[in-house]
Amino acid sequence: MADQLDLNLLRVFDALLREGSVTAAAERLHLSIPAASRALGRLRRAMGDPILVRAGRGMVPTPFALRTAPRVRSLLDEASALISADRDLTIGDLERTFTIRINDGVAATLTTAAVEATAAVAPGVVLRFVAEGSESTEALRDGSVDLDIGAGDVTAPDIRSMPLYRERVVGIVRADGPLGGKRHPTLAQLCRYPHVSASRRGRGRGPLDDVLEAAGLQRRVAAVVPTSAVAAFLVSSSDYIGLVPSRLAEQYGRSLGIRWFPIPADLPEIEVCLLWHARLDADPAQRWLRETIRDALNAPS
């Protein structure tokens, strides 16, 4: 009869998929290499699949293992929440990796604060940031992502949301460029120079274009880049005008040689939120991480 899957075997499966190596998985779980190898054998028999197969000098997961990994991770999260719900959490002893999907527009200013705040009290915690790629909530549901940080509304009943902060969009130019000396350029002046648009979807049009159109004006978008950080780098070495979140401009403007200014238009603010799945509400480690990130981003500078 095939081996039955228990919680310990699922932990081995999760470690093997995360590490892609029996040796590394053994180190992660504080097991001997022979013990981890025997556990892989039991997993193969129980699941009827090789799980990991040799590829050159390394090992790669099978398609079945890749499909199963998020569900296993979700089960382990729920088991952890159930076991630890009524116990005090010793943050300093916490050893855990949290996967955070993050919007590119806020990553440049958020990751430093989040990493420093967690490392200060929980050196065993690893924050694994991954790019958006998709706003699908399935990654939160299946456990492949612990937290999602970005702009936008999610109304699914099983997804929880916490507002982190609101910020405005500002204009940026090279400090020694044609508009570098203008503290409050007009809309007409903004239309005299080419613009760079930051859009992960490759869009060249945004709310500013509606305002300009109503005023009988039009700007020329000469480049479209995927992130605000790339837009800032492009502006720093050109005569382009860019629109980026205010925190990015304030934090990196001087080091990049760019100057920022308010846009003379009523543009919508950006609300950055933190999202997670309802099953993680009771997990003390998850709750601590959410509160730590929130407090770090709103701490006085």
Side-chain angles (χ1 to χ4, degrees):
M1 182 179 292
D3 286 312
Q4 296 298 310
L5 286 172
D6 59 24
L7 199 58
N8 287 329
L9 270 184
L10 291 180
R11 290 193 180 99
V12 174
F13 177 91
D14 183 61
L16 287 167
L17 266 291
R18 287 179 184 269
E19 302 293 344
S21 158
V22 174
T23 301
E27 293 177 356
R28 183 186 186 96
L29 296 173
H30 306 291
L31 296 174
S32 67
I33 295 176
S37 183
R38 288 194 297 271
L40 174 57
R42 292 181 60 197
L43 280 166
R44 284 169 167 166
R45 290 191 296 273
M47 292 184 164
D49 186 85
I51 309 300
L52 290 177
V53 295
R54 183 68 58 183
R57 295 183 178 181
M59 301 187 79
V60 295
T62 64
F64 168 82
L66 289 173
R67 292 195 306 270
T68 307
R71 297 176 61 188
V72 169
R73 206 159 294 144
S74 179
L75 287 170
L76 291 174
D77 284 342
E78 292 190 55
S80 176
L82 179 65
I83 293 170
S84 60
D86 296 325
R87 294 167 52 188
D88 291 334
L89 178 68
T90 304
I91 297 299
D93 297 334
L94 185 61
E95 293 189 2
R96 191 160 166 182
T97 296
F98 296 94
T99 301
I100 303 173
R101 183 170 60 186
I102 189 167
N103 180 293
D104 290 325
V106 299
T109 55
L110 182 146
T111 50
T112 299
V115 169
E116 289 180 349
T118 54
V121 294
V125 165
V126 176
L127 300 185
R128 176 175 171 264
F129 293 96
V130 296
E132 269 189 330
S134 168
E135 294 92 350
S136 170
T137 55
E138 290 306 312
L140 294 170
R141 293 189 176 104
D142 65 27
S144 55
V145 167
D146 294 295
L147 299 174
D148 193 343
I149 300 176
D153 297 325
V154 175
T155 56
D158 59 334
I159 303 299
R160 303 287 186 260
S161 175
M162 174 193 296
L164 292 177
Y165 61 87
R166 297 179 70 90
E167 67 176 333
R168 67 192 187 283
V169 172
V170 298
I172 55 172
V173 293
R174 196 176 82 245
D176 59 355
L179 279 180
K182 300 288 185 182
R183 293 297 175 184
H184 297 278
T186 65
L187 290 178
Q189 288 173 326
L190 294 181
C191 292
R192 293 175 187 168
Y193 301 94
H195 286 234
V196 54
S197 173
S199 170
R200 184 167 54 83
R201 297 184 180 88
R203 295 172 179 167
R205 184 178 176 87
L208 177 60
D209 296 285
D210 296 331
V211 173
L212 293 174
E213 190 175 277
L217 298 169
Q218 184 177 10
R219 65 172 179 162
R220 182 172 72 87
V221 175
V224 180
V225 296
T227 72
S228 297
V230 174
F233 281 117
L234 181 54
V235 167
S236 71
S237 59
S238 70
D239 289 341
Y240 286 9
I241 298 171
L243 270 64
V244 300
S246 58
R247 288 193 178 212
L248 177 66
E250 292 167 5
Q251 187 167 332
Y252 294 105
R254 179 169 295 182
S255 61
L256 289 176
I258 60 179
R259 192 182 62 73
W260 65 270
F261 51 85
I263 299 295
D266 185 19
L267 299 181
E269 282 191 323
I270 301 170
E271 182 175 44
V272 177
C273 295
L274 190 155
L275 307 174
W276 67 96
H277 193 266
R279 74 175 186 284
L280 300 179
D281 278 343
D283 186 334
Q286 293 274 352
R287 186 167 57 247
W288 163 78
L289 179 63
R290 295 193 297 265
E291 293 172 353
T292 298
I293 291 175
R294 179 199 61 196
D295 294 344
L297 292 176
N298 290 283
S301 55

